[in-house]
Every structure is written in structure tokens, then in C-alpha cells.
Amino acid sequence: MTDFFGDVTMRTLAQSMSGLAMRQRTIADNLANVDTPGFLAGKVDFESNLRLRLAAGDDPRSSVIATARSLEPTRDNGSNVNLDEETLAAQETVLQTQLIAQALTNKFNGLRRAIGS
């Protein structure tokens, strides 16, 4: 079966959306547990592995979306969730998601024009 929308740009944008969605879920989990004793914040990284895969000419969908627990210093209750950092990360993630969504929209608009409809 032919993958009409499966060029490297579309695959990269799709993998980026998956990584950003995981980051948003992790941030929400962190915020929900800001006062939970002993809770260690999660951090999501997908950009570094995606960059490596693209540089190697591999399929971007093979890149790893890694979630790890933060090793930042903890507060008195053992939690290391920083409300300010998580709020900023949430806003950055929203902006990145909007940027990727706009790139996808532009890509589909280009395909629509190429098809002639």
C-alpha cells in the first residue's frame, strides 16, 4: 500500500506531535502531584533522538520518546516538582504544538493545491 502522506516531513511532524503529547501528559502528571510527598517529576525528551535519527537518514518514527524521573533536588517532603518550571514547560509545549499543527496545516494545504482542488 502506498503511503501518500508518508514523506520524511510528515513522519517527523507526526513523531514530534507524539512527543509533545507525551510531554503534556507528563507535565499534567507532575502538576497533579506537586504536593505529593516523595513524588519525582517526570521529564520527556524526544528531540535529541529525533535529531539523531534524521541525521542518520533513519525513519523519524523509529526515534525514542523517553520519559525519565528528574534527579533535581527535592523539597522537604521529598517531591521535586517545581511549579514555576512546570508551568513554563506547559506553555512552551502548547506553543510548540501550535507550531507543529501549523506546519501540518501548511503541508496539507500544499498537497491540496498540488492536487488542484
Side-chain angles (χ1 to χ4, degrees), residues 67-86:
T67 304
R69 291 293 161 193
S70 173
L71 300 177
E72 297 290 321
T74 61
R75 296 191 314 270
D76 291 340
N77 70 354
S79 172
N80 69 353
V81 177
N82 182 313
L83 184 59
D84 292 336
E85 286 180 13
E86 296 299 326

Side-chain angles (χ1 to χ4, degrees), residues 94-113:
V94 166
L95 292 173
Q96 290 171 328
T97 301
Q98 290 173 344
L99 182 65
I100 298 296
Q102 186 61 54
L104 285 166
T105 298
N106 293 342
K107 180 74 173 173
F108 282 119
N109 285 340
L111 289 171
R112 187 177 313 130
R113 281 191 302 274

Side-chain angles (χ1 to χ4, degrees), residues 25 30 37 78 85 89 105 117:
R25 285 189 300 272
N30 292 344
E85 286 180 13
T105 298
S117 55

Side-chain angles (χ1 to χ4, degrees), residues 20-95:
L20 290 169
M22 175 63 79
R23 180 172 290 146
Q24 194 66 32
R25 285 189 300 272
T26 302
I27 291 168
D29 185 48
N30 292 344
L31 290 171
N33 288 287
V34 69
D35 291 323
T36 302
F39 184 82
L40 298 178
K43 301 293 179 193
V44 173
D45 177 50
F46 67 92
E47 295 95 341
S48 58
N49 194 262
L50 181 58
R51 217 174 278 115
L52 288 172
R53 294 290 181 201
L54 287 170
D58 295 336
D59 187 339
R61 295 174 293 190
S62 68
S63 67
V64 175
I65 300 172
T67 304
R69 291 293 161 193
S70 173
L71 300 177
E72 297 290 321
T74 61
R75 296 191 314 270
D76 291 340
N77 70 354
S79 172
N80 69 353
V81 177
N82 182 313
L83 184 59
D84 292 336
E85 286 180 13
E86 296 299 326
T87 302
L88 180 60
Q91 289 302 313
E92 287 175 349
T93 302
V94 166
L95 292 173

